[in-house]
Amino acid sequence: MVELPTAAVDRVIRKGGAVRVSEGAARALAEHLEEEGIKVAQKAVSFATHAKRRTVTEEDIRLAVKTKEV
């Protein structure tokens, strides 16, 4: 079950230039974004754990996104 609201994803697609967005398209993108978000979060948690912290910081997220691109 996707936890991202489809209305928010619909707005993202519209920001990308779409005039109309089907509910299925918003749901499909929401699923993909959630999967990618979980991967980034897992990597960020590993950075925080490596630094002996229990709190994931903004820097952990930014580093996780940056290293994912490589």
Side-chain angles (χ1 to χ4, degrees):
M1 173 128 189
V2 178
E3 295 188 30
L4 294 173
T6 54
V9 176
D10 180 284
R11 286 191 299 273
V12 170
I13 296 171
R14 288 175 191 274
K15 283 184 180 181
V19 175
R20 296 177 62 188
V21 180
S22 74
E23 187 175 324
R27 193 172 42 251
L29 182 57
E31 289 173 7
H32 177 72
L33 292 173
E34 188 166 317
E35 290 170 7
E36 289 301 310
I38 289 169
K39 291 175 188 176
V40 169
Q42 289 170 336
K43 189 132 185 133
V45 167
S46 70
F47 289 142
T49 302
H50 179 74
K52 297 182 178 24
R53 287 184 280 107
R54 294 172 57 192
T55 302
V56 174
T57 64
E58 177 182 350
E59 185 59 31
D60 295 326
I61 296 293
R62 293 189 186 281
L63 186 58
V65 169
K66 186 176 181 179
T67 58
K68 189 173 181 331
E69 294 173 356
V70 175

